[in-house]
Amino acid sequence: RNATWVNGSLDDPAAWRESLEGVGTAVHLALRESAAPAAESARLHVEGTRALIEACRATGVSRLWMLSSVHARDAAGDAWPWAASLRAAEALVRD
């Protein structure tokens, strides 16, 4: 209710940025599968999240929620680039 689903690629912010106009809260659900190459995970999780945050700021979105994974907090995640990229994206959203 009172929600609009916007399906788009974090690689192409211009395609969905306009959808953020007038939005109070955005929910970030992009998540790369854990078997993806480390560079691809970092690009989507970190750079894609950064692009979304910039778009939210530019369009006046006041709150951004992000779906992450419990594995981002696993102790073994320190050696797992996928989990590290999620932690980095979480930090961007927190900041």
Side-chain angles (χ1 to χ4, degrees):
R1 183 174 175 170
N2 296 326
T4 301
W5 181 268
V6 176
N7 190 16
S9 171
L10 290 175
D11 292 327
D12 186 14
W16 48 260
R17 184 176 173 152
E18 187 176 298
S19 300
L20 294 172
E21 293 290 340
V23 169
T25 300
V27 181
H28 176 20
L29 301 175
L31 185 68
R32 194 71 186 127
E33 67 269 7
S34 59
E40 188 176 330
S41 292
R43 183 183 54 75
L44 176 73
H45 293 153
V46 179
E47 298 311 317
T49 299
R50 182 175 283 123
L52 178 58
I53 291 168
E54 290 171 6
C56 286
R57 285 182 177 144
T59 57
V61 174
S62 60
R63 181 176 294 156
L64 174 62
W65 293 350
M66 177 186 161
L67 173 72
S68 188
S69 169
V70 67
H71 296 296
R73 300 284 170 226
D74 285 350
D78 291 336
W80 193 12
W82 179 83
S85 69
L86 279 175
R87 280 195 306 276
E90 290 174 0
L92 289 172
V93 173
R94 268 193 312 274
D95 290 346

